[in-house]
Amino acid sequence: MNESDPKLRSAHSIAHSNIALAKYWGKRNSELNIPAVSSISITLEALATKSSVTFDPHSRGDSLEIDGERFDTEKISVVLDLVRTQSKITDVARIQSSNNFPTSAGLASSASGIAALTIAAASAAGLDLSRKELSMIARRGSASAARSIFGGFVELHAGSQQDGSDSFAEPILDREDWPLEVVVAITQSGKKATSSTTGMLSTAGTSPFFDSWVNSAPAKVAEMREAILALDFQHVGELTEQSCLAMHSLMFTTVPSLIYWNEGTISVIREVQRLRASGTECYFTIDAGPQVKIICEPANSASIVSAISELPAVVEVRRSRLGPDAQLVNPK
Ligand code: DP6
């Protein structure tokens, strides 16, 4: 295939993963992928996806390759269809992505991947969209991806409109205004057993705590937003752990139960508590996988990395500053 063929429309992008401090779990509309609760995240500079999108009339169907391996196109075709409808392009697309971290292991590869795809696909199709519009398209592929359109501290609104028109992400604080760091403890690099999408639908149907999670979310998200704007690290950290543990309680009480943790996950939680008790302020959070992300101030990240690296169950440790907006890049 000749990429310089003028009939082929291509664009290239980079987007960064994110982790939620106030978690999203559950949908108020599955078809439109509208979250049941608002969420707040930080974007991670060290975990990135690069993506190339080419609309190609000669290809047979949408295709996705991540690090050379073929993947299912269900989630990305939702995004591509929205871009095709808006741009009136009918061509199928070839996507080639590369992650600099393990795919589908609870490190939010779908967030960075779908954010990168959205930006590149919109550009390749010739659409000139605002970041708010891009985040709404990305949300349809994966709600956490809506947050990765932006850098720094980001809020994804659950909204209340039936059509999802008020469910989009927006930045709440620039990374330069509060340069926190994150230490990522990888306790297993395999793929997760149950996808977030499947897991959260199962939780909504079976956990006795789901309604109270949804009802308490607006106040919790508002408290988190205020703590971030006040640069109150202790408050943000405590709320982060509470949100993480409340979400995992929902997962544990889902039938059949969703236990994404492994022994290494528990050992990292214990180490974070030990570090804190000995005067190193840091807080943990965990998504739908066994990896633990530790939020800290830059002065403490080196000592946290060395303490966490000592744990036998930790296979790899990454350190990250807060990341930038998703953006278009030139082809390499
Ligand atoms: C545990 O965004 O992957 O990471 O919208 O169904 O694609 P879909 O789910 P996804 O779920 C992320 C869940 C989480 C918490 C969070 O990132 O807020």
Side-chain angles (χ1 to χ4, degrees):
M1 196 61 59
N2 180 7
E3 297 295 333
S4 59
D5 180 341
K7 289 197 287 300
L8 302 182
R9 294 176 247 222
S10 294
H12 313 270
S13 63
I14 183 167
H16 298 82
S17 172
N18 69 77
I19 47 156
L21 306 178
K23 302 291 189 192
Y24 145 56
W25 194 255
K27 299 175 193 290
R28 72 177 170 85
N29 181 320
S30 295
E31 204 173 321
L32 298 174
N33 205 35
I34 308 174
V37 296
S38 296
S39 55
I40 294 179
S41 62
I42 45 179
T43 302
L44 301 178
E45 185 177 57
L47 304 179
T49 300
K50 286 187 180 165
S51 193
S52 297
V53 176
T54 303
F55 285 104
D56 181 355
H58 310 299
S59 289
R60 267 200 247 128
D62 291 334
S63 65
L64 169 66
E65 255 184 34
I66 306 175
D67 296 320
E69 195 188 330
R70 287 291 281 258
F71 275 75
D72 185 79
T73 54
E74 195 187 336
K75 281 193 169 196
I76 63 155
S77 289
V78 173
V79 169
L80 291 167
D81 286 346
L82 290 166
V83 168
R84 280 188 281 252
T85 304
Q86 290 192 32
S87 62
K88 303 192 171 58
I89 284 181
T90 51
D91 297 345
V92 297
R94 281 183 289 116
I95 323 294
Q96 281 182 315
S97 288
S98 60
N99 286 330
N100 67 351
F101 58 93
T103 302
S104 304
L107 289 176
S109 56
S110 70
S112 53
I114 290 176
L117 162 70
T118 303
I119 298 243
S123 169
L127 292 175
D128 184 18
L129 301 177
S130 67
R131 284 195 173 260
K132 174 179 165 181
E133 290 168 316
L134 290 166
S135 82
M136 288 177 71
I137 294 176
R139 190 205 80 224
R140 294 284 298 273
S142 194
S144 55
R147 302 186 309 237
S148 275
I149 296 293
F150 298 97
F153 296 76
V154 184
E155 178 166 352
L156 170 59
H157 302 287
S160 57
Q161 298 292 325
Q162 293 293 319
D163 63 358
S165 56
D166 55 354
S167 180
F168 55 87
E170 60 183 346
I172 53 181
L173 188 69
D174 288 348
R175 58 181 179 152
E176 292 82 13
D177 292 332
W178 202 16
L180 295 182
E181 290 197 11
V182 176
V183 174
V184 182
I186 299 176
T187 62
Q188 182 191 313
S189 52
K191 291 184 184 163
K192 64 185 165 199
T194 308
S195 75
S196 299
T197 309
T198 307
M200 61 179 84
L201 293 179
S202 177
T203 297
T206 60
S207 172
F209 306 126
F210 187 68
D211 288 348
S212 82
W213 162 258
V214 173
N215 294 336
S216 61
K220 300 236 183 271
V221 167
E223 195 179 347
M224 177 68 86
R225 190 190 315 113
E226 278 157 34
I228 289 168
L229 292 173
L231 313 188
D232 183 342
F233 185 57
Q234 183 179 346
H235 198 185
V236 167
E238 287 170 357
L239 293 173
T240 296
E241 290 193 354
Q242 283 163 24
S243 178
C244 164
L245 293 172
M247 180 185 75
H248 283 276
S249 303
L250 288 178
M251 294 165 165
F252 296 157
T253 51
T254 296
V255 184
S257 63
L258 295 166
I259 304 178
Y260 288 105
W261 297 4
N262 62 20
E263 294 73 2
T265 313
I266 306 276
S267 73
V268 179
I269 291 175
R270 292 286 182 222
E271 184 62 18
V272 167
Q273 291 173 330
R274 194 196 63 74
L275 283 162
R276 210 154 59 218
S278 63
T280 303
E281 199 178 6
C282 57
Y283 299 89
F284 64 82
T285 187
I286 304 149
D287 284 336
Q291 334 300 357
V292 185
K293 293 91 178 184
I294 303 163
I295 324 291
C296 62
E297 289 169 312
N300 288 328
S301 60
S303 64
I304 295 167
V305 167
S306 64
I308 296 296
S309 306
E310 296 287 303
L311 300 174
V314 171
V315 295
E316 191 184 336
V317 179
R318 299 264 179 120
R319 181 175 162 177
S320 183
R321 293 188 297 196
L322 302 192
D325 289 352
Q327 56 218 307
L328 293 169
V329 294
N330 291 323
K332 43 179 187 332

